[in-house]
Amino acid sequence: MHQAVTMDEAVDLIPDGARVMLSGFMGVGTPDGLVRALAQAGKKDLTVIVNDAARPHLGVGPLVAARCLRKFIGSHIGLNPDVQEQMRSGELEVELVPQGTLVERIRAAGVGLGGVLTPTGLGTKVAEGKQVIEVEGKPYLLEPPLHADFALIAARSCDYVGNLTYMLTATNFNPIMALAGDVVIAEPEEIVPVGVIPPDAVKTPGALVDHVIGKH
């Protein structure tokens, strides 16, 4: 059952060292209020799973700039010099995952699968230490599921029972990540009465949402 919380209460739920998924695609669909609040709270040693590092002022950027991260797991860091600098200095561990593999590993965690079979990375350094499984005569890498302690999800709209809708590229990762977090915290742009969101527009059902950032 979802519960309305303030931004400060949501931040207090997330301890140092937590494994956190951040929704969004190049900052579109990222819960910016939660990102800024976590950075201002001085959280430490977070492992963040996110599609990309965006830019210093976008997406996960403020958390990187505030040095809240111990590890970054994502598919692209090329537009955020802060991530590159902290990676080169050894301050930040970076695990780069091909985008398709990343989203399928998250989906696997969300639906209870033991991993994903993919040919991406075979014969490269990416394959080192990973199990290779042959299916119908073809080899595949076994990539493990990616889950998180917390999934922080931005939404366009949320109704009183926590049903969520998204817009534009936020639809890429947000519904998938909402499946894969032990605790799901939603940061909607607006909260509307039940019935305003048409049933076929709901991308994340309220049963998956533990907390909603309320409007105060």
Side-chain angles (χ1 to χ4, degrees):
M1 179 66 71
H2 75 281
Q3 178 181 352
V5 294
T6 66
M7 191 68 75
D8 288 342
E9 289 170 337
V11 168
D12 287 344
L13 291 171
I14 302 170
D16 290 343
R19 190 174 173 93
V20 177
M21 279 183 187
L22 275 183
S23 65
F25 189 99
M26 278 303 295
V28 176
T30 298
D32 294 320
L34 278 167
V35 167
R36 289 193 298 270
L38 287 168
Q40 290 168 2
K43 296 293 180 175
K44 298 296 183 187
D45 299 325
L46 301 177
T47 292
V48 168
I49 302 165
V50 61
N51 175 59
D52 54 79
R55 297 178 184 272
H57 62 287
L58 280 179
V60 70
L63 283 174
V64 178
R67 288 176 160 71
C68 296
L69 307 187
R70 179 183 62 80
K71 183 173 183 178
F72 171 96
I73 301 174
S75 67
H76 188 263
I77 62 171
L79 297 178
N80 192 325
D82 291 345
V83 172
Q84 298 165 37
E85 178 185 341
Q86 291 182 30
M87 179 181 69
R88 284 194 295 268
S89 70
E91 186 177 352
L92 177 65
E93 181 182 353
V94 173
E95 179 181 343
L96 288 174
V97 182
Q99 191 174 77
T101 303
L102 177 69
V103 72
E104 292 306 327
R105 288 178 65 187
I106 296 169
R107 191 195 314 272
V111 299
L113 299 180
V116 176
L117 296 179
T118 175
T120 304
L122 277 172
T124 73
K125 190 174 182 179
V126 172
E128 292 179 0
K130 295 179 180 174
Q131 188 175 356
V132 177
I133 295 177
E134 188 171 297
V135 179
E136 296 182 344
K138 295 182 180 179
Y140 296 89
L141 288 181
L142 174 61
E143 296 280 5
L146 271 175
H147 80 278
D149 302 316
F150 296 88
L152 309 183
I153 309 295
R156 171 66 184 88
S157 300
C158 172
D159 67 18
Y160 294 163
V161 295
N163 293 314
L164 306 181
T165 68
Y166 311 107
M167 287 184 67
L168 306 174
T169 51
T171 308
N172 290 357
F173 276 87
N174 297 28
I176 303 301
M177 286 186 169
L179 291 170
D182 292 342
V183 176
V184 176
I185 303 175
E187 181 184 333
E189 293 181 22
E190 63 176 4
I191 299 176
V192 299
V194 174
V196 171
I197 301 174
D200 59 355
V202 173
K203 302 304 180 186
T204 295
L208 295 174
V209 178
D210 296 284
H211 303 286
V212 174
I213 304 296
K215 302 297 181 183
H216 300 280

